């Protein structure tokens, strides 16, 4: 799950309200992490799972989901514990626990953090054990659980980028969702002339968004012969920079940072009528817009605006990784495949699930808001359209540098292409700081 942006805090409240029909009841689990219970006594395997799911009132509690597993699997017993800190705090804890020999068997790890925990030696190679379950998940999220050809767990939730738009307002303006960048820019100009914006520019989220959009078909990072290869200068990067630069020059985007309260207000008052964002942003937008836009909005796939065809990229999302030292990898993956395919339970937690085994049910309130659309089906399509983008250790530093450059571009102090130059330079510098081998040009 993406939790670095404060918008997700609003999502927790929105999802809790929206998910009542899907959710079961139960009390909150404890907040202290457990020492590893990965033992085998009398034929019984005991596993520990450290998660960061919301686990709020109105959701199906993790402990209740796990209790069903334990009831049906007396020989593989699991104890789940909630960790309340940030992703960075969790990494620090896992690193300490692995060294002390009391780490959990399984822990939630963001896709963007997986390369870092791999580099730190925190995760366990479960390529053989996880491989038998790969068919149960969308291909894109599956790939995000691997580094250097090794698999370290199974995907849980995703954040594919999609396009949200107000169909009612589009119809009034006489425009349709554009299929090409050229069509998009012309439609954006037409809308802007009427005080409407079919695109937003969010520099505070540019690190994740730009990498997702530009790297969907040409990833920035890979490992060859044990060395990191960094190539931000891809056709997708050039197309993305040009797309946003033309919209900036034409003053055809809303430029308010997403963390500014007036950003939500622009959705509510109808000046923003379209935006690219992650699938998990749906309940947040619904909260912003309220009843004023009920039935007007739709979700669709990103067009070929960034030279990626129909491919999209990830903005957030996480999997559950096997932590170094776990003694029962096969049993851990057996449980994890089951847990990560409990679609109604995970949907109640506000997740866009990575599982492909069962269709997630769109909550009735979502269906009503999005004009009768089966939103979860559209998100499942986006999952299937996710490209092979992956991250590098220390990507947070890259994301920060991209955001700073994007902010300057939005103010006319730089070009959008400078954000991609910053990504290239910061990527190389960060890998060097980590002491990791880098392939020569």
């Amino acid at each position: 799950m993406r939790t670095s942006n404060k918008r997700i805090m609003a999502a927790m409240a929105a999802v809790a309200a929206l998910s009542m029909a899907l959710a079961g009841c139960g009390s909150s689990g404890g907040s202290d992490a457990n020492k590893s219970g990965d033992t085998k006594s009398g034929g019984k395997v005991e596993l520990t799972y450290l998660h960061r799911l919301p686990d709020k009132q109105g959701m199906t509690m993790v402990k209740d989901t796990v209790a069903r597993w334990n009831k049906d699997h007396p020989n593989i017993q699991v104890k789940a514990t909630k960790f309340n800190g940030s992703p960075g705090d969790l990494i620090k804890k896992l690193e300490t626990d692995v060294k002390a020999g009391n780490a959990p068997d399984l822990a939630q790890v963001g896709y963007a953090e997986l390369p870092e925990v791999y580099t730190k030696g925190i995760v366990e190679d479960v390529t053989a054990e996880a491989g038998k379950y790969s068919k149960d998940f969308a291909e894109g999220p599956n790939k995000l659980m691997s580094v250097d050809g090794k698999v370290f767990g199974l995907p849980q939730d995703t954040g594919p980028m999609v396009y949200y738009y107000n169909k009612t307002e589009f119809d009034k303006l006489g425009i349709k969702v554009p299929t090409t960048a050229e069509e998009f820019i012309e439609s954006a100009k037409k809308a802007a002339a009427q005080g409407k914006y079919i695109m937003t520019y969010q520099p505070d989220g540019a690190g994740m968004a730009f990498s997702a959009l530009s790297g969907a078909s040409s990833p920035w990072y890979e490992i060859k012969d044990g060395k990191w290869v960094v190539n931000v200068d891809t056709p997708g990067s050039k197309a993305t920079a040009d797309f946003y630069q033309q919209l900036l020059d034409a003053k055809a985007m809303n430029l308010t940072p997403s963390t500014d309260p007036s950003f939500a207000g622009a959705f509510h008052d109808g000046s923003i009528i379209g935006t690219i964002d992650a699938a998990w942003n749906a309940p947040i937008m619904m909260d912003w817009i309220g009843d004023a836009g009920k039935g007007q909005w739709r979700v669709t796939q990103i067009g070929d605006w960034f030279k990626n065809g129909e491919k999209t990229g990830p903005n957030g999302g996480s999997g559950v990784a096997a932590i170094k030292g776990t003694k029962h990898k096969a049993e851990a993956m057996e449980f994890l495949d089951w847990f990560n395919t409990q679609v109604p339970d995970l949907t109640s937690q506000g997740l866009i699930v990575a599982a492909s085994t069962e269709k997630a049910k769109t909550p009735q309130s979502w269906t009503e808001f999005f004009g009768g659309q089966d939103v979860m089906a559209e998100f499942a399509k986006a999952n299937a359209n996710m490209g092979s983008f992956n991250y590098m250790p220390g990507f947070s530093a890259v994301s920060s540098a991209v955001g700073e450059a994007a902010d300057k571009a939005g103010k006319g102090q730089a070009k959008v292409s400078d954000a991609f130059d910053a990504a290239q330079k910061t990527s190389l510098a960060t890998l060097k700081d980590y002491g990791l081998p880098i392939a020569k040009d």
Side-chain angles (χ1 to χ4, degrees), residues 1 3 31-34 49-53 81-98 103-104 106-110 113 116-117 120 122-123 318-321 323:
M1 253 179 336
T3 53
S31 60
D32 295 331
N34 295 312
Y49 166 37
L50 189 61
H51 71 88
R52 295 184 60 252
L53 296 176
T81 306
K82 178 176 171 59
F83 181 79
N84 288 318
S86 68
D89 292 336
L90 179 56
I91 291 175
K92 292 177 183 177
K93 174 179 173 47
L94 291 174
E95 190 173 14
T96 299
D97 289 351
V98 166
L106 297 166
Q108 190 170 344
V109 176
E113 286 83 50
E116 180 176 348
V117 296
K120 292 177 178 291
I122 294 173
V123 287
S318 64
V320 180
I323 304 304

Side-chain angles (χ1 to χ4, degrees), residues 215-396:
S217 58
S218 300
W220 291 0
Y221 312 114
E222 60 180 325
I223 299 177
K224 286 186 177 179
D225 300 324
K227 296 181 179 180
W228 283 90
V229 179
V230 179
N231 181 23
V232 177
D233 188 24
T234 66
S237 294
K238 293 175 182 176
T240 303
D242 183 62
F243 177 86
Y244 280 99
Q245 190 64 57
Q246 287 195 59
L247 289 173
L248 280 175
D249 293 343
K251 295 180 171 55
M253 287 190 294
N254 179 287
L255 305 183
T256 309
S258 62
T259 49
D260 190 308
S262 63
F263 183 72
F267 281 86
H268 182 73
D269 66 24
S271 56
I272 294 178
I273 61 172
T275 186
I276 292 175
D277 217 316
W280 51 256
N281 202 48
I284 306 174
M285 285 183 54
M286 292 170 62
D287 186 53
W288 290 342
I289 297 166
D291 290 341
K294 188 175 181 179
Q296 298 181 11
W297 285 77
R298 304 290 188 274
V299 183
T300 191
Q301 304 303 305
I302 292 174
D304 189 19
W305 309 328
F306 310 104
K307 305 301 181 185
N308 289 324
E310 290 191 351
K311 291 292 185 184
T312 187
N315 185 337
S318 64
V320 180
I323 304 304
K324 197 72 174 180
T326 184
K327 299 174 183 176
H328 301 288
K329 297 190 290 185
E331 290 87 349
M333 290 303 104
E334 181 183 351
F335 160 74
L336 187 53
D337 175 68
W338 179 89
F339 185 86
N340 283 0
T341 55
Q342 298 304 295
V343 174
D345 292 15
L346 295 175
T347 300
S348 84
Q349 291 273 349
L351 304 187
I352 307 301
V353 294
S356 59
T357 54
E358 180 182 348
K359 179 182 177 181
K361 182 180 179 182
T362 300
Q364 183 62 31
S365 57
W366 293 35
T367 302
E368 293 173 359
F369 184 89
F370 287 99
Q373 184 180 15
D374 187 349
V375 178
M376 287 298 182
E378 197 67 32
F379 290 159
K381 184 177 179 181
N383 272 344
N385 287 341
M386 279 179 63
S388 56
F389 187 83
N390 53 11
Y391 297 94
M392 55 159 270
F395 184 76
S396 59

Side-chain angles (χ1 to χ4, degrees), residues 84-273:
N84 288 318
S86 68
D89 292 336
L90 179 56
I91 291 175
K92 292 177 183 177
K93 174 179 173 47
L94 291 174
E95 190 173 14
T96 299
D97 289 351
V98 166
K99 291 178 180 178
N102 62 353
D105 301 289
L106 297 166
Q108 190 170 344
V109 176
Y111 299 132
E113 286 83 50
L114 183 64
E116 180 176 348
V117 296
Y118 160 76
T119 301
K120 292 177 178 291
I122 294 173
V123 287
E124 188 77 45
D125 182 353
V126 289
T127 303
E129 294 80 8
K132 63 190 293 186
Y133 305 113
S134 62
K135 66 182 184 303
D136 292 342
F137 304 94
E139 182 179 3
N142 252 322
K143 291 180 178 178
L144 288 168
M145 288 306 296
S146 66
V147 181
D148 196 18
K150 301 180 181 67
V151 179
F152 298 98
L154 294 173
Q156 186 172 90
D157 69 294
T158 70
M161 299 293 274
V162 293
Y163 186 63
Y164 298 91
Y165 70 102
N166 186 318
K167 184 179 184 300
T168 300
E169 293 294 333
F170 269 50
D171 290 346
K172 288 180 181 179
L173 291 168
I175 60 176
K176 297 180 179 180
V177 176
T179 58
T180 67
E182 292 75 20
E183 289 177 4
F184 197 107
I185 292 164
E186 288 306 310
S187 295
K189 291 178 180 178
K190 183 176 181 179
Q194 302 298 318
K196 304 287 184 178
Y197 298 100
I198 68 170
M199 180 56 72
T200 61
Y201 185 75
Q202 305 171 35
D204 47 336
M208 295 297 290
F210 283 3
S211 62
L213 298 174
S214 66
S217 58
S218 300
W220 291 0
Y221 312 114
E222 60 180 325
I223 299 177
K224 286 186 177 179
D225 300 324
K227 296 181 179 180
W228 283 90
V229 179
V230 179
N231 181 23
V232 177
D233 188 24
T234 66
S237 294
K238 293 175 182 176
T240 303
D242 183 62
F243 177 86
Y244 280 99
Q245 190 64 57
Q246 287 195 59
L247 289 173
L248 280 175
D249 293 343
K251 295 180 171 55
M253 287 190 294
N254 179 287
L255 305 183
T256 309
S258 62
T259 49
D260 190 308
S262 63
F263 183 72
F267 281 86
H268 182 73
D269 66 24
S271 56
I272 294 178
I273 61 172

